[in-house]
Amino acid sequence: MFELLRAGGWLMWPILLCSIVAMAIVIERFWALRRWAIMPEDLVSRIWQLHRRQLLNDDRIAEIREGSALGRMLAAGLVNRFHSREVMKEAIQDTGRQVVADLERYLNTLGTIAAVTPLLGLLGTVLGMIEVFGVIMEAGVGNPGVLAGGISQALITTASGLSVAIPALMFYRYFDNRVDKLIVAMEEQALRLIEVMQGAREAGDYGGQA
């Protein structure tokens, strides 16, 4: 590993740093974007049961808020449950923007790594070829070892940059799509809560639904 870093030149170090950061983000996002942790099953139904039994007090709402990302959104609406539908919806939307920002955390960094590392590899290629042509100008083509070293540096940095960028881009697209699906599902749950609390639907419509 160290020999590969040395052969690729100093640009291998920022590429290595990008790979470490990208790996850390991927692991963290896999843990943070677990669907069951973000959207607990039957949360709207449980909230309705508490409301029907007149147990939906401030302590219960605080527990809901702290329990999950969806709970944060729904709790914002529950605080305003005695107000109009529009007030509940606006409160949920305001909190929802904060929740979405949390779900998208570090994704821009991952996308930046996917875009930058090929450029670092390309820069290594350019520097390697400059070294090759410099040797040719000074000593001609009679020293194949030095020429091979410059070409090797160019190839190693290019391959390393691409090997980091390709999986980083794949995971960026995957997490971005996952967040989009979670957002849509959370919006559906928030709308269901508003309809139930405002009496737009019968409570039985939500028995056993998440």
Side-chain angles (χ1 to χ4, degrees):
M1 181 64 178
F2 181 76
E3 292 296 328
L4 187 64
L5 291 173
R6 187 173 63 179
W10 65 270
L11 279 171
M12 289 294 293
W13 293 104
I15 292 175
L16 176 63
L17 178 61
C18 287
S19 69
I20 294 173
V21 174
M23 182 178 299
I25 291 174
V26 168
I27 294 173
E28 190 276 339
R29 286 294 86 187
F30 266 120
W31 178 259
L33 296 179
R34 294 164 296 160
R35 185 181 179 91
W36 63 266
I38 294 173
M39 298 180 56
E41 188 176 358
D42 298 331
L43 182 57
V44 173
S45 298
R46 295 200 302 269
I47 291 173
W48 168 250
Q49 294 297 327
L50 291 172
H51 175 69
R52 189 173 64 176
R53 297 171 186 171
Q54 298 183 347
L55 297 175
L56 194 60
N57 52 33
D58 291 342
D59 291 337
R60 293 285 191 175
I61 293 175
E63 291 178 5
I64 293 170
R65 181 184 296 109
E66 297 299 326
S68 64
L70 177 60
R72 285 177 58 191
M73 292 177 58
L74 300 186
L78 293 174
V79 171
N80 297 276
R81 63 190 181 279
F82 299 118
H83 297 280
S84 66
R85 175 190 177 96
E86 288 71 24
V87 172
M88 282 190 67
K89 186 174 182 180
E90 183 177 352
I92 290 175
Q93 288 176 340
D94 289 341
T95 303
R97 283 188 283 269
Q98 301 173 16
V99 171
V100 170
D102 289 341
L103 295 180
E104 293 177 341
R105 184 181 300 169
Y106 306 129
L107 291 189
N108 283 338
T109 302
L110 189 61
T112 300
I113 290 173
V116 167
T117 46
L119 298 180
L120 291 174
L122 179 60
L123 179 58
T125 300
V126 173
L127 294 178
M129 296 310 297
I130 290 175
E131 181 180 339
V132 170
F133 285 114
V135 171
I136 292 176
M137 290 177 62
E138 292 181 1
V141 294
N143 193 340
V146 176
L147 297 180
I151 296 174
S152 174
Q153 175 181 339
L155 296 178
I156 289 173
T157 54
T158 300
S160 299
L162 291 175
S163 66
V164 174
I166 292 172
L169 180 60
M170 292 174 61
F171 281 115
Y172 170 78
R173 296 295 186 188
Y174 169 76
F175 289 128
D176 186 59
N177 181 63
R178 190 167 184 171
V179 168
D180 288 342
K181 290 181 178 179
L182 287 170
I183 291 171
V184 171
M186 292 169 70
E187 289 176 347
E188 291 177 352
Q189 297 302 309
L191 180 59
R192 289 179 178 180
L193 177 73
I194 294 172
E195 292 175 344
V196 167
M197 301 303 293
Q198 294 294 330
R201 291 193 180 185
E202 296 294 332
D205 294 343
Y206 293 96
Q209 292 188 21

